[in-house]
Amino acid sequence: RTCDQLRCTACDFRVSLFNDYIWDQSCDYLFFRNNMPEFSKLRAKMIKKKGARAYACQCSWRSVDELTDLQTDQQLRWFCGKH
């Protein structure tokens, strides 16, 4: 079960998600700060990977390729905006 309305309490930005992509290892804070949420700009550091999902706000990002509970990641400050 995934929430499609994640929001970050650190940067107060909506978390974007991209199916079938992961983030390149060279991604950094400034890349997301300057390019969110423009897919055309973000795509420069995205890698196609079927079945994976790339998540990002302006201050945090994750690539997920297996079932993962993002709430257990202490560094993420994301919550579901539906609740």
Side-chain angles (χ1 to χ4, degrees), residues 60-77:
S60 300
W61 61 97
R62 290 293 179 279
S63 296
V64 177
D65 60 3
E66 61 185 26
L67 191 59
T68 305
D69 186 353
L70 294 174
Q71 292 180 329
T72 61
D73 189 330
Q74 298 300 312
Q75 294 179 331
L76 291 179
R77 310 257 313 268

Side-chain angles (χ1 to χ4, degrees), residues 24-37:
D24 185 85
Q25 289 186 344
S26 67
C27 290
D28 61 14
Y29 172 82
L30 284 177
F31 172 74
F32 290 102
R33 187 77 184 163
N34 292 326
N35 296 303
M36 279 302 288

